[in-house]
Amino acid sequence: MKLTADQVREFEETGYLFFPSLFRREEIDVLNGELPGIFAEDRQEVIREKGTTAPRSAFYVQTWNPAFAVLARHPRLVEPGIQLLGSDKLYMHQFKINAKAAFDGAVWQWHQDYATWHNDDDMPSPRAMNIALFLAEANEFNGPLMFIPGSHRNGRLEAGHDVSTTSYPLWTIDPATITRLVDEGGIVAPKGPSGSVLLFHGNMVHASGSNLTPWSRWIVYLSLNRCDNAIRRFQRPTWIANHDFTPIDMLADDCLIRFARERPRAAE
Ligand code: SIN
Ligand code: MN
């Protein structure tokens, strides 16, 4: 998927782009059919919300689920990253499905992803970004992502390491800074049906609230990084901060449908 010059300008200005319903129902069905099995797995890559058994995130799924292995090479997700990051050699720094489960989904505090990538992984520069695909509807009630438009233009902001609020340690931004940034840029929460895609800059300040509704807000995230911007510290395990910098080899646009058609089925 090629972005227009106007879209590239909009990304540079606001730090994000939103494409409602970019994936078709049949494509999303291929992925969603895998989710119950993925979240039921008892393995280190599936982390639970603090104090509950509800899934929070499933990491590195592209290495242990064949449908998500295909998604990780999807041109509708990877090609915009190539264009916006200015290199055709990108690798997957992180790949995760966030469940934001019905009733139990907990907050993600205000943060920039590049703060964690810099502080924990020693990623040299913020030439990395997120591509998010909604696997379920994100609406005003179920904890949609919140962005402060234009906040990426402040560069990397001061952050503190929060290891207690949720089950996932995060470098978070203090309320006074968030108040100042929101005064300047406001808050947006892109909402839309499953199949929608949200691209955002590594320095975008973002957060999400808890989910008190019966509607899980599943989102899969590809965190793409330039191969020439690979991390230099390996304190986090490879399933959280990939130690494998192999460039992503994109598949064809119909890869998910083809995968579903061609995969071996259990004997009837
Ligand atoms: C994240 O910031 O990495 C996840 C936020 C969310 O899924 O709500
Ligand atoms: Mn984040």
Side-chain angles (χ1 to χ4, degrees):
M1 184 177 80
K2 278 271 182 297
L3 304 175
T4 65
D6 279 351
Q7 287 168 331
V8 172
R9 260 194 301 277
E10 186 183 335
F11 179 83
E12 283 165 2
E13 177 71 18
T14 64
Y16 74 98
L17 288 172
F18 186 47
F19 299 91
S21 303
L22 191 63
F23 282 66
R24 297 199 312 278
R25 157 70 35 215
E26 309 86 271
E27 295 176 305
I28 296 300
D29 285 349
V30 176
L31 301 166
N32 284 1
E34 304 293 316
L35 289 183
I38 288 171
F39 289 135
E41 290 255 2
D42 181 14
R43 54 191 299 158
Q44 63 180 354
E45 294 92 340
V46 180
I47 65 166
R48 309 280 156 191
E49 296 288 8
K50 196 174 179 180
T52 82
T53 57
R56 179 170 177 83
S57 302
F59 285 90
Y60 218 35
V61 187
Q62 84 280 20
T63 66
W64 50 274
N65 179 277
F68 282 90
V70 170
L71 185 74
R73 300 170 60 191
H74 202 296
R76 250 175 277 157
L77 301 179
V78 177
E79 215 173 17
I82 288 176
Q83 204 177 341
L84 293 171
L85 294 172
S87 168
D88 60 2
K89 295 233 172 343
L90 301 183
Y91 76 95
M92 191 70 67
H93 174 60
Q94 188 180 76
F95 186 100
K96 66 177 182 285
I97 308 168
N98 280 355
K100 189 73 81 175
F103 299 110
D104 289 314
V107 304
W108 287 81
Q109 313 91 305
W110 285 106
H111 69 284
Q112 295 170 304
D113 281 6
Y114 182 61
T116 299
W117 299 339
H118 172 82
N119 291 331
D120 288 352
D121 309 325
D122 194 16
M123 186 186 285
S125 82
R127 289 182 298 176
M129 64 180 296
N130 284 307
I131 317 282
L133 167 63
F134 295 6
L135 298 177
E137 180 188 53
N139 58 42
E140 64 194 296
F141 306 111
N142 64 352
L145 272 170
M146 297 187 285
F147 292 156
I148 304 178
S151 55
H152 65 299
R153 286 189 267 115
N154 291 280
R156 183 170 58 83
L157 297 158
E158 205 52 52
H161 204 203
D162 181 344
V163 294
S164 60
T165 303
T166 73
S167 60
Y168 187 74
L170 204 58
W171 289 86
T172 63
I173 301 173
D174 66 81
T177 306
I178 295 300
T179 304
R180 176 175 62 77
L181 294 172
V182 171
D183 278 349
E184 289 162 10
I187 298 179
V188 296
K191 296 173 280 288
S194 65
S196 301
V197 169
L198 192 48
L199 320 179
F200 58 103
H201 194 280
N203 273 333
M204 167 61 80
V205 177
H206 61 287
S208 63
S210 61
N211 185 3
L212 297 175
T213 76
W215 308 307
S216 290
R217 190 228 61 182
W218 302 312
I219 296 180
V220 55
Y221 292 89
L222 284 66
S223 300
L224 303 175
N225 187 21
R226 288 173 60 122
C227 292
D228 62 4
N229 191 43
I231 63 169
R232 298 175 298 201
R233 188 180 304 128
F234 303 99
Q235 70 184 25
R236 300 203 294 173
T238 196
W239 54 271
I240 297 188
N242 204 351
H243 304 174
D244 176 355
F245 310 140
T246 308
I248 297 168
D249 192 11
M250 279 188 293
L251 297 171
D253 192 74
D254 64 350
C255 56
L256 280 173
I257 298 300
R258 199 186 283 236
F259 166 81
R261 207 183 301 134
E262 292 172 4
R263 81 173 134 193
R265 293 186 184 285
E268 284 163 24

